[in-house]
Amino acid sequence: MVKSKEDKKEEIVEQKRFFLGSDEKTKYFIAPPNASDIREADWQYSRIYTKSLTEGITTSAEMMDILRRRGIVGPEFEQRAAELTTGLNEKILALDNSDSLDEKRDLAVEVAECRDELFQWNQRLNGPMANTCEQLADDSRLEYLTSCMIVDEDNNRIWEIYDEYIHDKDQTLSLKSRFEVMLYLQGLEPDFLEKTPEAMAMKEVEADILGKAAEAAKALEAIQEEQNKIEEKEETSVKKVVKKKPGRKRKSEKPE
């Protein structure tokens, strides 16, 4: 069967990576950047890097020197990061090898706590490094690519030029678009956070709880139906007894 143009268009649209807007209905699609977009994004990186440098923003190398001098990073920092990483990996391994749902639930919580602790520790380094010339320039490059890569179902750009993206009043769409493009460029799926070992384990536990709740609800419903049947039988029996019971005869009154 030969597919029509409309069918082919719908198939292509379905294959594109997309996300929903703030209204949870409108679809926005991610289109790969062309060579011109990439060149302009690289130019944007160079422009912001040079501007940041001339305005006195530190480079990544300079920031690392500052953090080392202040004792924020160094052998102790790396040792603690390694310990937290090892602890996280051990918890994940224990979670993968666990067969008990109760144990999985507890381990999933512990894995999430270990992951958050590792993230907070790494922020001692990542936080300051986010304010360097390289990172500011890289953020600007990402924003430029975002303005080029977000399209509607007809492959029309949402923002015709970069300035439209920067000055768009719908900040929710701008930020979500940037996040989705970042995941796309890093090769990550939009739901990657839902596929972590702890998230998968919690889904399994939740599914088991919901299954048991559904079974309990069905059992309760069956008990209620049985109770109703018993009450109906008792009520029918009472009605039959009342119908069969003879009425009292009135005694004839004696003449005075």
Side-chain angles (χ1 to χ4, degrees):
M1 181 179 177
V2 180
K3 295 182 180 180
S4 64
K5 289 184 178 180
E6 290 297 325
D7 291 336
K8 288 181 179 179
K9 178 182 175 182
E10 289 181 3
E11 186 176 335
I12 292 172
V13 168
E14 288 177 358
Q15 291 174 352
K16 282 184 178 180
R17 182 156 166 170
F18 70 89
F19 60 94
L20 298 178
S22 56
D23 59 358
E24 295 298 327
K25 294 180 181 179
T26 307
K27 289 184 178 181
Y28 296 94
F29 297 85
I30 300 177
N34 56 39
S36 177
D37 295 334
I38 295 174
R39 282 197 301 270
E40 291 296 328
D42 290 340
W43 168 248
Q44 183 69 14
Y45 178 99
S46 299
R47 190 173 69 85
I48 295 302
Y49 182 91
T50 303
K51 181 180 178 182
S52 301
L53 192 62
T54 56
E55 291 183 358
I57 305 297
T58 57
T59 64
S60 297
E62 290 172 337
M63 181 60 73
M64 284 298 296
D65 289 340
I66 294 172
L67 295 177
R68 288 194 184 94
R69 286 199 301 270
R70 295 187 178 183
I72 296 174
V73 297
E76 293 182 0
F77 172 83
E78 294 172 0
Q79 181 181 352
R80 180 56 179 161
E83 291 173 356
L84 292 173
T85 302
T86 300
L88 174 61
N89 291 334
E90 289 175 352
K91 293 291 183 182
I92 291 176
L93 182 61
L95 179 59
D96 290 339
N97 294 332
S98 176
D99 295 325
S100 169
L101 288 176
D102 290 337
E103 187 179 14
K104 281 188 176 183
R105 181 192 58 212
D106 295 338
L107 285 171
V109 173
E110 291 177 12
V111 169
E113 291 175 348
C114 288
R115 195 182 297 280
D116 182 65
E117 188 175 3
L118 177 60
F119 172 79
Q120 295 298 334
W121 182 258
N122 286 332
Q123 279 300 101
R124 291 163 59 93
L125 172 62
N126 296 334
M129 295 300 287
N131 298 305
T132 60
C133 293
E134 288 86 350
Q135 190 58 54
L136 293 175
D138 194 58
D139 289 344
S140 184
R141 181 178 186 274
L142 175 62
E143 288 177 343
Y144 187 91
L145 287 174
T146 301
S147 70
C148 301
M149 295 172 63
I150 303 301
V151 299
D152 60 19
E153 61 181 7
D154 294 321
N155 212 39
N156 297 317
R157 287 187 177 183
I158 301 303
W159 300 282
E160 289 296 330
I161 58 176
Y162 178 57
D163 282 346
E164 286 185 7
Y165 169 82
I166 293 297
H167 298 101
D168 194 338
K169 293 181 179 179
D170 189 354
Q171 289 297 305
T172 301
L173 176 60
S174 300
L175 292 174
K176 190 168 186 180
S177 298
R178 173 178 165 170
F179 177 72
E180 294 290 340
V181 169
M182 180 187 68
L183 295 181
Y184 174 83
L185 295 175
Q186 292 181 356
L188 297 173
E189 293 297 323
D191 59 346
F192 78 101
L193 289 175
E194 298 175 9
K195 295 180 179 179
T196 58
E198 62 269 30
M200 297 296 290
M202 289 304 292
K203 283 183 180 179
E204 187 178 348
V205 172
E206 183 180 351
D208 180 70
I209 292 173
L210 292 175
K212 289 180 179 179
E215 291 176 2
K218 287 182 180 178
L220 183 61
E221 186 178 349
I223 293 172
Q224 188 63 45
E225 288 180 358
E226 189 65 27
Q227 185 66 30
N228 292 338
K229 289 179 182 178
I230 294 172
E231 291 177 357
E232 287 177 2
K233 287 182 181 179
E234 292 178 351
E235 187 176 351
T236 302
S237 300
V238 171
K239 287 181 179 179
K240 288 181 179 179
V241 170
V242 171
K243 287 182 180 179
K244 290 181 180 180
K245 186 176 181 180
R248 293 183 178 180
K249 294 182 179 180
R250 296 178 66 182
K251 294 181 180 180
S252 57
E253 296 180 357
K254 295 181 180 181
E256 294 180 2

